[in-house]
Amino acid sequence: MSRGYSVAQTARLVCALRWACRRLSEMLDDWAAQAASSPEHAQAAASMSQLSRRLTSHREILDGLQPDSELMAPWRRAAPADPALAGALDEIAGLAGHCGRVAVARGVIVPRLANVCGEILGHAAPHCDGALASAARALRQDLDRDAASVGAAQPGAVEAADLVLTAAGGIIGPSLLRPGDWP
């Protein structure tokens, strides 16, 4: 059993998750708007728009988990876990091709964010992290529905996006999910 996250660890983790959900939602909205301009890509637009709305709703839940203590003020504002992540997502956002974007959303973004939720659930302690675990469980359940529909299309785009995120340390850095001072 995990000892759970401290208040500061939770604040940093929630801060990073809020940022990731917002940035991913914005990226997906932009992709959906571009796809919607072509009638033949209506399905891609709908798919990306739906995922964006899910991420937005979960970000709103995470907003309520952000500690409001003055001691936690540095982590009230949503920010990436690592500055490299912002650049990585900007690079991924520039992908061309609506089919490739859907494949990246469902084959990279969804599984990576679901894995983050699984890590949180694995390390959260019920006595102190119940609300965070509940939010992570709900987000993972929504993401698991999207991951079930992942196809094998566009493996090059998926592989390239996965490499970019790996180089950036992932959607949430491992040091936030499992702090270095833990045994």
Side-chain angles (χ1 to χ4, degrees):
M1 173 181 241
S2 174
R3 66 183 196 180
Y5 294 105
S6 71
V7 174
Q9 290 163 339
T10 297
R12 287 190 288 263
L13 185 55
V14 169
C15 173
L17 275 171
R18 290 171 55 225
W19 182 87
C21 285
R22 187 196 82 235
R23 179 63 182 107
L24 293 170
S25 178
E26 290 169 351
M27 184 173 74
L28 290 164
D29 274 344
D30 186 45
W31 285 355
Q34 291 174 28
S37 66
S38 304
E40 65 271 13
H41 295 106
Q43 182 63 34
S47 177
M48 289 184 282
S49 182
Q50 178 184 33
L51 181 54
S52 173
R53 284 192 308 274
R54 282 187 180 157
L55 291 174
T56 297
S57 72
H58 287 286
R59 178 172 188 252
E60 291 168 0
I61 292 167
L62 290 166
D63 285 346
L65 298 180
Q66 193 66 53
D68 59 359
S69 162
E70 285 301 314
L71 296 174
M72 299 295 117
W75 301 289
R76 281 195 205 145
R77 187 171 164 266
D82 186 308
L85 178 59
L89 290 181
D90 288 346
E91 185 177 335
I92 292 169
L95 282 172
H98 305 302
C99 293
R101 290 172 173 177
V102 170
V104 166
R106 295 194 185 280
V108 177
I109 293 169
V110 166
R112 286 224 179 206
L113 202 49
N115 287 341
V116 164
C117 293
E119 286 275 332
I120 290 169
L121 292 170
H123 300 304
H127 69 280
C128 60
D129 301 317
L132 177 60
S134 179
R137 190 175 300 105
L139 177 56
R140 189 169 81 176
Q141 286 173 342
D142 267 356
L143 294 171
D144 284 348
R145 281 186 228 131
D146 282 310
S149 64
V150 173
Q154 305 295 319
V158 169
E159 189 174 287
D162 196 52
L163 287 172
V164 168
L165 277 178
T166 298
I171 289 182
I172 303 293
S175 65
L176 289 180
L177 293 168
R178 183 167 177 84
D181 61 344
W182 284 7

